[in-house]
């Protein structure tokens, strides 16, 4: 589970930063949009923490359906990679 959290932080952080820069907003302004402290937002953007679910949902709403779908697919692929066995099971293992 820790690996999944690490992957999620690594994926979300640059998406948050890129979106903020596209909008031309400061980290402080983004924190106000998400109704979290500026320090909390900075930690999210730097990949040091995970966001509360309400922030993630709000981010999905902000970026729209197409970008949300792409982001979820990126997360899905990262999780699948973490969950895949190192080698396929052999007949002896089954």
């Amino acid at each position: 589970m820790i690996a999944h959290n690490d992957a999620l932080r690594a994926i979300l952080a640059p998406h948050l930063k890129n979106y903020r820069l596209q909008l031309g907003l400061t980290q402080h302004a983004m924190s106000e949009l998400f109704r979290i402290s500026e320090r909390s937002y900075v930690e999210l953007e730097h990949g040091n923490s995970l966001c509360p679910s309400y922030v993630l949902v709000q981010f999905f709403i902000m970026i729209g359906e197409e970008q949300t779908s792409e982001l979820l697919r990126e997360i899905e692929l990262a999780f699948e990679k973490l969950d895949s066995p190192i080698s396929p099971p052999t007949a002896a293992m089954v």
Side-chain angles (χ1 to χ4, degrees):
M1 192 58 143
I2 291 173
H4 290 80
N5 288 340
D6 291 345
L8 191 54
R9 282 194 306 270
I11 292 168
L12 289 176
H15 283 277
L16 287 164
K17 183 175 183 176
N18 291 338
Y19 186 71
R20 176 180 65 81
L21 294 174
Q22 279 181 331
L23 295 178
L25 297 176
T26 63
Q27 290 174 327
H28 178 75
M30 285 296 284
S31 72
E32 288 182 339
L33 286 174
F34 289 131
R35 294 185 176 100
I36 59 175
S37 71
E38 184 174 354
R39 184 70 196 153
S40 293
Y41 179 78
V42 169
E43 292 294 314
L44 293 175
E45 195 173 282
H46 289 167
N48 296 329
S49 66
L50 286 172
C51 57
S53 56
Y54 70 90
V55 171
L56 185 59
V57 170
Q58 188 171 0
F59 183 58
F60 288 159
I61 292 167
M62 291 169 70
I63 65 175
E65 187 176 338
E66 185 176 327
Q67 285 185 324
T68 295
S69 180
E70 292 170 7
L71 179 54
L72 288 172
R73 181 66 180 142
E74 186 178 345
I75 293 166
E76 180 182 32
L77 291 172
F79 283 9
E80 285 175 358
K81 185 176 180 181
L82 290 170
D83 294 336
S84 67
I86 295 172
S87 59
T90 62
M93 298 171 98
V94 178

